[in-house]
Amino acid sequence: MDVKYIKGVGPIRAELLNKELGIRTVGDLLYHFPYRYIDRTEIHSIAQLMEDMPYVQLKGQIFDIVTEGEGRKKRLRASFSDGTGWIDLVWFNQIKSIEKGLKYDKNYLLLGKPVMWNGRFSIAHPDIEDADKVNAKDGTLQALYHTTDRMKKSALGSKQLQDIISSALDIGNISLEDFLPSQLVKQHELMSLDLAIRTLHRPTSAALLAKATNRMKFEELFLLQLQLLKTANANSKKNIGLKCERIGDYFYSFFYNYLPFSLTDAQKRVIREIRADMRGPYQMNRLLQGDVGSGKTIVALLTCLIAIDNGYQTTIMAPTEILAEQHYSLISPLVKGLEINVALLTGNVKGAKRKEILSQLKGGTLNILIGTHALIEPKVEFKNLGIAIIDEQHRFGVKQRAMLWSKNVCPPHILVMTATPIPRTLAMTVYGDLDVSIIDELPPGRQPVTTLHYHEMDRQKLFEGIHYQLSMGVQVYFVYPLIAESEKIDLKNLEEGYINLQEVFSEYKIGKVHGKMLPAEKDEVMNDFKNGNYQILVSTTVIEVGVNVPNAAVMVIENAERFGLSQLHQLRGRVGRGNLKSYCILMTKDKLSENTKRRIQVMTETTDGFIIAEEDMRLRGPGDIDGTQQSGLPINLKIAHLIKDVNIMEKARNAAKQILQADPQYNLSANSMLWKRLNEIKKDAVFSDIS
Ligand code: ADP
Ligand code: MG
C-alpha cells in the first residue's frame, strides 16, 4: 500500500518521505526503525548538562519568550529553567504557531540535544510536551526517529513520524506475515515479525524491546548472509587457480641472501598459509590482518617471489601515491641483487616512462608492478598476472577488487592486506568469502610508543618538550581532526595551529598537508618531510595510513577527544618506526566527559590493536556504522551493526548455510516467501560483475 493513504500523510508528505528517506510503501515505513529510545522517567537537571551529552530530557518552566532577528535569521527564543540553571530554547521555523502554544505557568517536559552557544546551553527545536500529560501515558520508552533537515523544516520531525507510523500500525488489514521459515523462528526463538515491528515502534517494556530488536537484527543479517552465500556458491565454481607449485631460486635466494632481518614466527606462519593456497588448484582469496608496523610489506614481497618463481607477474596496489611510492622504495633496493624488474605506476608517471612500463608489462619482462588504482585501468595489461596484492583494503571497494580479477584469463590469486583488526565473520561478510591470516606479533626490538595525555592548560609544557625533541633532531607531527560536517571550522583550526606553531618554533621549517590539497601537492610535502626538509608536519588525518618516516618520533594529536579509538591507533602507528624513543601526545580540552576520559585512558594504557578495537566496539554508540564497509554490502543494514552484532551474525550465517544446504535450488515451498523477500530487498547485484 502506498504510504500516502496513511492518516496524516497525503501526497505532499508522501513525496517528502520518498525523496528524503526512500519510503514509498507502508512496508518501507514500518521498516524505518527508531534509532534510539528515551526513557521518559529519566530526567536530567540543567546544572548537570555537559557539552557532549546526546539527547537529554528536562522538566521545568518557560520564563521569557522573545522573537529576535529579521528575515531569514528570525528566531524565537525562550528561557527555560528547572530551578538548577537556565537554558535557551530556540526555534527557527514555524515560529508563529509555536509561540502561540507556549505558556508561562505550565510544567514542560522537553527533549533535545544541548549545545553550548555564547557560554550558555541551548536546545534548538526541542520536542516539548505538557509534563503532566506525558506522565499519564502508558509505556515509558519513547522512540526517536531519524529525519532530515528538509523534513524538519516541513514540520515532519521525529514526533510526527511516530504518529504516522502509529496510524499505520493501527490499520487492521496490513499484513505482517512472517517470511522467515517457521522452523527457523522456532529454532532461534525469534519473536514473530508482527509483534517485533509493533514492539520496536511502541515498546511496552525494555525486555520485549530487546527481543524485538534481536529478531529484526537476526532477520537482516540472515538475509545478508543468505545473499552473500548464494553469490559465493555461484562464484566458487569458476575459481580454478593458477598453480604455483615451485618454491624456487628467487624465493630462496632472497630469503637467504637479502632478507634484512629474520622473520617473526607470525610472518613465517602467514607465508606458509599463503603458500599452501597458491600451491593448490584453487584461486587464493586471502585477507591478511596485521597491526600497524607488524611487517606486512615483506610478506607481500615474499608472496610475489613465489609467483615469480612460477613464471607469473605480480602487482601490489596501494590506496595513495605516497603509499605506493613507499612500497616501491622499500622493495626495489631489497631485490636489487635478484635481477627482478620492479616498476612504480601512479597517475604521476606519464609519457615515455609510462609507455615503457606498459610495454614491459605486456611483454612479460616486468615482474612486480607497484601502484595506485591507476593499475585498474584497462590500458594496464599484463602478460600473465599471477597475484594481485591490495594494501589497506578498506579504501578499496569490492568492485575494484573484481576488476583486478579480470586482469588475467584465469583470475589471479588475491591477497588483501589490512591493519584494521576485525572479527572473522565480519571479515567474511565485508570482503566476501575470504580466508583470513593474522600477524599477531610485532618484530622484536620495537620501541613501544609512550602515549601521554595533555590538557590544553599543559600546552606550555608540551611546547617545551617539543623544543627539546626538535633540538635533538627528531621530527614531529601535529595532527588536527577533520570531520566532514565541520570541515571549514576544522581547516581554520589547522591554519591557526599552523600559524601559531610558526611563531613558537620560528627557527624550524614547518610543512602542512590536508585533504583539500591535490594529491601531487600532498605527496610533495610528505616527501619533503620524509627527506628532512621540514622538521614539523602539520596535517589532518591524511597521514593516517601506512606512511613511514622513521625519524619522526613524536606525534601530537590536537583535539584528540574528537577522534575514534581505531583512528588514534592508526595515527599513533606512524611513530615508533625507527630506533628513537617515540611519543604520542593526546591533547584535549580541560574538561572531558566520562566516556571520553575512558577512551583516552585506553590509548595511554595499551598499544595492542586488538584490545583497542574491542574497547572501541564497546564504547561506540549505536548507529555508528562504517560507510565504506556498508556500501559494499548487497543489502542495506538498517538495524544491525556489522561490528557490535557479530554474535548474531555468526548465528545468522550458520542458519543461512543450513537453509541453502536444504534448498539448493531455492524451490522448497517452506522457503518461498523467504526467496521472494530476498529478491525484493537486495541491492542491484554488487558482485555480479565478478567474472
Ligand atoms: P605494516 O604491517 O604496517 O605495513 P611494514 O611492512 O611497513 O608494516 O613494516 C614496518 C617496518 O618493520 C618496516 O621498516 C620493516 O622493514 C620492518 N620489519 C618488518 N618485518 C620485520 C622483522 N621480522 N624484523 C624486523 N623488522 C621488520
Ligand atoms: Mg603497510
Side-chain angles (χ1 to χ4, degrees):
M1 184 164 100
D2 193 316
V3 73
K4 75 178 170 209
Y5 299 117
I6 301 293
K7 191 175 139 221
V9 181
I12 292 170
R13 280 184 158 180
E15 174 86 20
L16 201 58
L17 284 170
N18 183 3
K19 273 216 177 107
E20 297 296 295
L21 299 176
I23 293 173
R24 289 189 195 90
T25 65
V26 175
D28 296 340
L29 183 67
L30 295 180
Y31 269 79
H32 185 68
F33 300 126
Y35 70 96
R36 60 173 298 182
Y37 299 85
I38 299 284
D39 182 347
R40 301 243 66 175
T41 56
E42 191 195 348
I43 294 177
H44 291 82
S45 70
I46 292 177
Q48 289 171 341
L49 292 185
M50 297 233 282
E51 224 174 318
D52 48 7
M53 278 180 168
Y55 274 75
V56 296
Q57 272 189 116
L58 300 170
K59 194 172 175 178
Q61 296 194 335
I62 282 172
F63 288 85
D64 189 24
I65 305 174
V66 287
T67 314
E68 297 173 335
E70 283 302 319
R72 285 175 56 205
K73 286 195 174 151
K74 194 165 167 183
R75 61 189 177 267
L76 180 69
R77 190 169 61 78
S79 293
F80 179 89
S81 176
D82 62 358
T84 73
W86 292 90
I87 68 164
D88 284 341
L89 309 180
V90 192
W91 290 266
F92 301 97
N93 308 112
Q94 254 93 38
I95 291 179
K96 274 218 179 91
S97 65
I98 286 164
E99 189 172 8
K100 235 187 262 161
L102 294 178
K103 303 259 154 38
Y104 284 117
D105 48 1
K106 222 186 207 151
N107 273 321
Y108 283 113
L109 192 60
L110 64 91
L111 181 68
K113 180 170 170 32
V115 288
M116 190 55 111
W117 187 253
N118 286 340
R120 183 164 164 156
F121 279 110
S122 71
I123 297 182
H125 285 257
D127 260 2
I128 181 159
E129 282 180 90
D130 186 336
D132 307 320
K133 279 195 192 141
V134 170
N135 288 342
K137 274 189 195 167
D138 53 1
T140 59
L141 291 169
Q142 187 191 333
L144 290 187
Y145 294 89
H146 270 304
T147 56
T148 64
D149 282 345
R150 279 192 56 198
M151 289 171 65
K152 281 182 201 125
K153 280 203 183 119
S154 312
L156 188 52
S158 173
K159 187 113 201 323
Q160 291 74 22
L161 208 52
Q162 186 184 28
D163 293 343
I164 291 170
I165 291 173
S166 238
S167 321
L169 284 172
D170 290 337
I171 302 176
N173 64 358
I174 53 165
S175 128
L176 287 174
E177 206 179 339
D178 209 336
F179 58 84
L180 289 182
S182 56
Q183 178 56 30
L184 193 73
V185 173
K186 248 187 247 144
Q187 189 189 340
H188 292 271
E189 299 179 348
L190 300 173
M191 195 182 253
S192 75
L193 178 63
D194 190 81
L195 185 57
I197 295 260
R198 286 176 196 281
T199 306
L200 275 173
H201 293 294
R202 296 195 290 215
T204 47
S205 80
L208 281 176
L209 178 59
K211 276 213 87 169
T213 308
N214 181 65
R215 142 81 208 209
M216 297 318 293
K217 284 180 172 179
F218 184 93
E219 164 184 323
E220 204 166 76
L221 293 172
F222 171 71
L223 290 170
L224 171 67
Q225 293 297 342
L226 210 50
Q227 181 58 29
L228 287 170
L229 288 170
K230 271 180 81 177
T231 326
N233 281 345
N235 281 330
S236 69
K237 290 173 204 114
K238 299 176 205 153
N239 292 1
I240 295 302
L242 301 165
K243 264 194 180 180
C244 293
E245 288 179 304
R246 245 175 311 152
I247 263 216
D249 292 345
Y250 288 116
F251 187 92
Y252 282 124
S253 170
F254 176 78
F255 195 85
Y256 291 113
N257 303 320
Y258 300 103
L259 191 63
F261 35 69
S262 46
L263 296 179
T264 61
D265 287 343
Q267 285 170 320
K268 284 184 200 156
R269 188 189 66 237
V270 163
I271 288 167
R272 273 199 301 274
E273 288 167 353
I274 290 170
R275 172 146 159 66
D277 278 1
M278 290 172 70
R279 191 163 41 189
Y282 300 109
Q283 182 210 21
M284 170 169 79
N285 264 298
R286 191 166 276 280
L287 176 72
L288 173 57
Q289 269 185 46
D291 211 345
V292 279
S294 62
K296 296 186 288 294
T297 317
I298 206 78
V299 172
L301 175 58
L302 284 161
T303 304
C304 288
L305 294 178
I306 295 173
I308 296 169
D309 271 331
N310 286 275
Y312 294 112
Q313 291 174 299
T314 64
T315 187
I316 302 177
M317 185 162 85
T320 64
E321 305 217 340
I322 181 94
L323 283 177
E325 266 161 39
Q326 202 165 278
H327 284 318
Y328 180 74
S329 55
L330 188 97
I331 287 172
S332 63
L334 282 181
V335 298
K336 249 210 171 91
L338 285 181
E339 289 174 24
I340 278 182
N341 191 0
V342 188
L344 176 70
L345 187 70
T346 64
N348 281 340
V349 180
K350 296 195 176 103
K353 182 89 190 126
R354 187 181 189 87
K355 234 181 188 162
E356 195 195 327
I357 291 176
L358 291 182
S359 99
Q360 286 184 356
L361 195 65
K362 207 168 172 182
T365 54
L366 190 59
N367 307 107
I368 304 180
L369 180 64
I370 298 171
T372 52
H373 52 266
L375 293 178
I376 303 178
E377 287 169 25
K379 275 191 201 129
V380 180
E381 289 176 71
F382 294 81
K383 178 152 184 255
N384 57 357
L385 179 63
I387 180 153
I389 299 176
I390 307 171
D391 196 11
E392 311 292 0
Q393 153 79 8
H394 55 285
R395 300 257 176 122
F396 291 110
V398 174
K399 274 221 168 112
Q400 283 156 312
R401 185 146 52 91
M403 286 171 85
L404 279 170
W405 285 37
S406 58
K407 290 279 178 192
N408 197 340
V409 188
C410 185
H413 297 294
I414 303 275
L415 181 68
V416 172
M417 306 198 294
T418 171
T420 319
I422 43 175
R424 205 187 154 77
T425 316
L426 175 60
M428 290 196 280
T429 302
V430 177
Y431 302 128
D433 229 340
L434 293 184
D435 295 304
V436 181
S437 288
I438 298 174
I439 308 184
D440 50 7
E441 181 186 354
L442 291 182
R446 268 299 150 71
Q447 294 255 18
V449 179
T450 304
T451 303
L452 303 171
H453 177 198
Y454 275 39
H455 293 94
E456 196 53 48
M457 59 190 172
D458 307 322
R459 188 168 284 279
Q460 199 48 42
K461 201 170 92 199
L462 170 77
F463 283 162
E464 282 161 22
I466 300 291
H467 259 297
Y468 174 75
Q469 291 285 340
L470 289 166
S471 73
M472 301 298 284
V474 171
Q475 289 169 283
V476 180
Y477 294 106
F478 275 85
V479 183
Y480 287 80
L482 192 64
I483 293 167
E485 57 184 279
S486 54
E487 218 162 351
K488 275 194 190 126
I489 303 173
D490 285 335
L491 266 185
K492 190 165 152 259
N493 284 343
L494 178 132
E495 292 296 341
E496 281 171 7
Y498 175 67
I499 290 166
N500 181 240
L501 290 174
Q502 276 181 325
E503 273 166 28
V504 178
F505 301 104
S506 53
E507 63 272 48
Y508 296 102
K509 283 220 170 95
I510 307 182
K512 182 175 69 177
V513 274
H514 55 77
K516 285 273 143 91
M517 292 161 67
L518 295 173
E521 293 173 335
K522 279 191 264 187
D523 285 352
E524 197 182 322
V525 179
M526 285 304 306
N527 275 325
D528 277 346
F529 183 65
K530 210 169 166 166
N531 297 330
N533 300 339
Y534 294 121
Q535 287 78 48
I536 297 177
L537 184 70
V538 172
S539 85
T540 55
T541 46
V542 292
I543 59 161
E544 191 178 335
V545 180
V547 182
N548 203 15
V549 186
N551 191 50
V554 177
M555 172 177 288
V556 179
I557 303 181
E558 297 280 356
N559 299 111
E561 69 272 12
R562 289 183 48 198
F563 289 90
L565 277 185
S566 53
Q567 216 179 3
L568 288 174
H569 180 64
Q570 294 278 320
L571 282 168
R572 181 169 60 180
R574 299 309 109 217
V575 292
R577 299 229 138 200
N579 43 21
L580 296 166
K581 173 102 190 79
S582 302
Y583 295 92
C584 174
I585 294 147
L586 306 174
M587 272 310 270
T588 68
K589 58 186 178 185
D590 296 333
K591 208 178 152 203
L592 298 173
S593 72
E594 284 309 312
N595 185 295
T596 307
K597 274 188 205 152
R598 175 72 200 132
R599 286 195 297 129
I600 300 286
Q601 193 188 357
V602 171
M603 292 305 296
T604 57
E605 278 173 359
T606 183
T607 51
D608 184 323
F610 283 86
I611 295 180
I612 290 172
E614 265 174 35
E615 274 293 322
D616 201 18
M617 291 171 209
R618 258 183 5 89
L619 292 170
R620 259 188 298 186
D624 181 13
I625 297 166
D626 185 322
T628 49
Q629 294 184 342
Q630 276 279 317
S631 62
L633 299 177
I635 280 170
N636 278 324
L637 297 186
K638 293 180 167 166
I639 186 165
H641 188 282
L642 280 178
I643 295 170
K644 286 166 176 280
D645 296 322
V646 73
N647 290 335
I648 303 179
M649 184 138 74
E650 206 110 28
K651 285 185 200 142
R653 188 173 178 87
N654 289 332
K657 274 187 188 154
Q658 279 174 16
I659 292 279
L660 281 171
Q661 233 156 35
D663 189 6
Q665 303 298 322
Y666 323 127
N667 58 8
L668 284 189
S669 64
N671 299 337
S672 62
M673 282 177 65
L674 176 63
W675 300 125
K676 188 167 159 266
R677 176 71 184 163
L678 187 60
N679 277 330
E680 278 166 16
I681 69 161
K682 75 169 190 246
K683 289 194 273 188
D684 298 334
V686 189
F687 295 89
S688 64
D689 49 359
I690 295 177
S691 56

